[in-house]
Amino acid sequence: MFQKVSILFIILALISAFMTGCGGQNNSSSHATSPIAPGSFQPSASSAPEGGEAEKSIVYMTTDISPEGLIAVYKALNWTPVGKVAVKLSTGEPPASNYLEPDLIADLVQSINGTIVECNTAYGGSRAETAMHYQVAEDHGCTAIADFQILDEDGSMSIPVTGGTNLTENLVGAAFANYDSYLVLSHFKGHAMAGFGGAIKNISIGLGSSEGKCLIHTGGKSHTNPWGGDQTAFTESMAEAGKSVSDYLDNGNRIVYINVMNRLSIDCDCNGNPAEPDMHDIGILASTDPVALDQACVDLIYAQKDGDGASLVNRIESRNGLHTLEHAAEIGLGTRTYELVSIDE
């Protein structure tokens, strides 16, 4: 669990030094890096090698929330996609959700010749049906910058879940297997049911077909109704579904993750009228490990000064959102122990 008292003083000092000491973006291709802060959560027992410390994942960060900053943090991953590339993001629920703006992401998406992909929702709204969802994608500028596909327009495909306690299968969009590599581009924010939404949510609920979303929300109990499930089973099922996606993509070798920490509302992009953010933007983070990436984002929220971010911390804790990270580490999706590396000069 999160060691609030003893750790926050360390993080606050480190983050303060980071925020005041970092300058502009790094436009070079080599990206000189410097360590900022280690992961502040204790690793789960399953993520630590026997007789030694848990291995750390690298999480890269820039405070430059711009097209140039986004490309720079992606390049820091030193990852080359193979074959047909999908860029998974949320199209955002109308009329006023905080989805990632096309002007921010266009250069990166086009640089890897990516197709933007999404799945239909399971809760109604403007994105529950394929035709309406394509219209939302057009209205929100997705189709103007890249090819776009609703992965579950032709239904679901099943991929196995191994090591889970709630799910034995994960139902993703039927077209999921049509893509060889995935760049998961997430807007980090709060979430009404999960507490927060980042990389893990984007590869679990986000890649789930409508019936797959129901399965996750109910902890494997229903394919048709997303409501009324147990909260612990829900958070664990997100981790388990995410693990199945990573396993399917060559044990994580064909998928990478970027979280954009701007417009940090307590509400998800699935909310068409989200609460106005009450904290400042933080930056863009990237990793090959979705657990480490989400953990680093959570740590940065907790490390904010003078109560900035208190509402988002409350949203996370009130939904037991940290349990998603706990279970994800336990089943081997990634590690909660990380090294945060700035790519800023």
Side-chain angles (χ1 to χ4, degrees):
M1 289 294 295
F2 185 36
Q3 309 298 311
K4 294 183 182 176
V5 176
S6 61
I7 298 167
L8 277 179
F9 289 102
I10 298 172
I11 301 176
L12 287 170
L14 291 167
I15 297 299
S16 176
F18 168 65
M19 293 301 182
T20 57
C22 291
Q25 69 208 46
N26 184 351
N27 291 319
S28 70
S29 58
S30 59
H31 300 303
T33 60
S34 59
I36 298 302
S40 62
F41 284 76
Q42 296 297 321
S44 64
S46 62
S47 67
E50 185 176 352
E53 295 183 357
E55 295 183 4
K56 293 180 179 179
S57 291
I58 301 298
V59 178
Y60 297 99
M61 178 177 179
T62 179
T63 57
D64 178 19
I65 304 177
S66 71
E68 294 79 15
L70 188 63
I71 287 178
V73 80
Y74 168 77
K75 287 184 176 179
L77 294 172
N78 194 29
W79 176 78
T80 302
V82 298
K84 191 175 182 180
V85 183
V87 178
K88 173 63 183 74
L89 53 75
S90 170
T91 47
E93 188 69 28
S97 57
N98 295 311
Y99 57 89
L100 296 175
E101 293 289 344
D103 288 346
L104 175 64
I105 67 174
D107 289 350
L108 175 57
V109 174
Q110 293 167 6
S111 73
I112 59 174
N113 194 29
T115 297
I116 297 173
V117 300
E118 250 282 42
C119 285
N120 292 322
T121 68
Y123 52 80
S126 300
R127 300 180 300 146
E129 302 294 338
T130 297
M132 293 191 300
H133 200 163
Y134 272 110
Q135 185 61 55
V136 171
E138 180 179 345
D139 294 343
H140 289 179
C142 295
T143 59
I145 64 172
D147 291 338
F148 178 85
Q149 184 175 17
I150 303 295
L151 293 180
D152 62 334
E153 61 184 332
D154 294 321
S156 305
M157 66 171 282
S158 176
I159 57 178
V161 174
T162 58
T165 57
N166 302 278
L167 303 181
T168 57
E169 67 170 344
N170 178 28
L171 299 176
V172 296
F176 170 76
N178 294 350
Y179 297 88
D180 304 294
S181 301
Y182 276 77
L183 168 60
V184 180
L185 191 53
S186 308
H187 173 222
F188 191 89
K189 67 283 175 183
H191 189 272
M193 298 184 70
F196 71 90
I200 296 174
K201 177 181 175 294
N202 208 358
I203 61 171
S204 56
I205 297 175
L207 281 171
S209 64
S210 293
E211 57 182 341
K213 288 177 170 65
C214 293
L215 206 62
I216 293 169
H217 272 283
T218 60
K221 303 297 185 184
S222 175
H223 293 71
T224 58
N225 183 2
W227 311 117
D230 176 77
Q231 181 67 10
T232 298
F234 165 52
T235 56
E236 290 179 352
S237 294
M238 282 198 298
E240 293 170 14
K243 174 78 160 44
S244 75
V245 167
S246 178
D247 289 348
Y248 186 92
L249 293 169
D250 195 16
N251 294 317
N253 288 316
R254 292 189 281 125
I255 185 169
V256 294
Y257 311 87
I258 298 176
N259 285 357
V260 180
M261 298 188 74
N262 69 343
R263 296 289 297 167
L264 290 158
S265 171
I266 62 171
D267 292 319
C268 181
D269 301 345
C270 57
N271 187 328
N273 292 284
E276 189 67 16
D278 59 3
M279 64 183 298
H280 64 276
D281 296 346
I282 294 178
I284 307 175
L285 286 73
S287 183
T288 58
D289 181 340
V291 183
L293 178 59
D294 281 356
Q295 184 71 75
C297 291
V298 167
D299 285 357
L300 286 167
I301 297 297
Y302 273 82
Q304 298 309 300
K305 295 181 177 180
D306 301 322
D308 196 16
S311 63
L312 187 46
V313 168
N314 180 66
R315 175 56 61 89
I316 292 169
E317 294 186 345
S318 67
R319 306 305 193 268
N320 197 20
L322 298 179
H323 188 56
T324 302
L325 298 170
E326 292 171 346
H327 193 62
E330 288 169 357
I331 63 176
L333 175 56
T335 176
R336 301 172 73 190
T337 305
Y338 63 90
E339 182 179 3
L340 187 62
V341 175
S342 171
I343 65 167
D344 295 338
E345 293 178 335

